[in-house]
Amino acid sequence: MSEVEGRFVVASELGLHARPAGEFVRIASGVDGDVEISRGGEWMNGKSVLSILSLAASQGTEVHIRVSGPDAEAVLTALAALVERPHDPA
Amino acid sequence: MKISDILVRDALVLDLGAKGKPAVLAELAGALAAAEPSIEEGALLEVLAEREVLQSTGIGDGVAIPHGKMPGLDHLVASFARSKDGVDFESIDGQPTHLFFVLVVPEHAGGQHLKALARISRFFRDADFRKSLESAETAEDVLRVIQDEDAKF
């Protein structure tokens, strides 16, 4: 078991809206350990779309992501890529 | 932004008759269009259905937030509906959906859209709020639950 953490800036013009939040949860839900996300305050459950949306993470917002469990590193990389993706796929 | 301010009260549905996902979307679009003159039913249904194809708005915990952008609209519009039996809305957690919050936004309302989604999500994240909505007996009770939550922050 390992825990990794990182800070990433939301790149998309639309922010972390429902669709990317859904993709985030799909990745996070496959993790055996915990996935958490915050804007620097309270840690939220990264496996809940409601939690992620309630952050109101608009473009330029720095989010903190914390992942524990096997493959934590790879999961964090995938989640970071999602947050830092400049455009939503059509 | 208060949710009560964008909620179209007359569009509220206490118990959806529709059972399948396409029928539920049609019922939601019909109820909102019937109560809100700025929205045309067919156009709304198309917008909502197109969005569902990209990814279900069934976001888990029995909640769905069907939403989309509507060209020509000049303000945010929302409605609430409930299904007592629950609907298979292809939700992310595979569970039936009971609570539907529809959000329709103008075409260029990126920031407002995200803020409204965030506020709605903060409400629905609270299990007590969801329970209160599920057990509300009348439309007035539903509105009161939403107004009470609006008053908290």
Side-chain angles (χ1 to χ4, degrees):
Chain A
M1 287 289 270
S2 60
E3 184 177 289
V4 289
E5 191 177 328
R7 297 176 180 199
F8 312 97
V9 175
V10 177
S12 160
E13 191 187 342
L14 298 171
L16 221 47
H17 64 101
R19 204 143 24 92
E23 288 180 57
F24 192 103
V25 168
R26 276 173 216 279
I27 296 169
S29 297
V31 177
D32 273 338
D34 292 328
V35 177
E36 293 168 294
I37 183 168
S38 86
R39 295 182 58 154
E42 183 196 351
W43 285 103
M44 305 268 204
N45 179 6
K47 299 183 181 186
S48 158
V49 178
L50 285 170
S51 293
I52 295 170
L53 284 180
S54 64
L55 290 172
S58 54
Q59 186 180 40
T61 302
E62 185 182 71
V63 295
H64 303 210
I65 301 171
R66 187 158 77 185
V67 183
S68 70
D71 299 327
E73 198 78 53
V75 172
L76 185 67
T77 304
L79 294 174
L82 180 64
V83 169
E84 293 178 331
R85 190 173 67 192
H87 300 290
D88 290 315
Chain B
M1 177 199 308
K2 298 282 185 192
I3 298 304
S4 323
D5 293 342
I6 61 170
L7 191 72
V8 179
R9 292 159 195 231
D10 292 338
L12 196 135
V13 182
L14 278 181
D15 194 16
L16 289 162
K19 301 297 174 207
K21 186 170 184 180
V24 166
L25 287 173
E27 192 173 352
L28 293 171
L32 186 48
E36 173 61 39
S38 61
I39 289 193
E40 200 270 310
E41 182 176 349
L44 175 59
L45 179 56
E46 199 173 317
V47 162
L48 295 180
E50 273 175 10
R51 173 58 183 78
E52 294 300 326
V53 171
L54 298 173
Q55 184 195 82
S56 175
T57 62
I59 53 178
D61 295 310
V63 178
I65 310 182
H67 60 272
K69 293 186 187 102
M70 194 87 160
L73 195 67
D74 63 0
H75 59 292
L76 277 76
V77 171
S79 67
F80 174 72
R82 206 168 59 166
S83 167
K84 286 194 176 138
D85 293 341
V87 174
D88 177 3
F89 213 67
E90 302 167 329
S91 73
I92 197 162
D93 62 1
Q95 297 301 307
T97 301
H98 293 272
L99 305 173
F100 295 85
F101 197 94
V102 181
L103 179 66
V104 193
V105 302
E107 212 166 5
H108 303 288
Q112 266 189 313
H113 180 183
L114 193 68
K115 274 184 198 149
L117 275 179
R119 190 166 177 87
I120 293 159
S121 300
R122 231 175 295 160
F123 284 18
F124 279 103
R125 211 156 60 89
D126 179 358
D128 290 337
F129 175 76
R130 298 197 299 269
K131 217 172 288 168
S132 300
L133 279 184
E134 278 168 15
S135 60
E137 285 185 8
T138 65
E140 289 71 34
D141 292 342
V142 168
L143 293 173
R144 198 167 312 121
V145 170
I146 293 172
Q147 280 163 354
D148 287 352
E149 200 68 20
D150 254 337
K152 285 184 190 168
F153 52 87

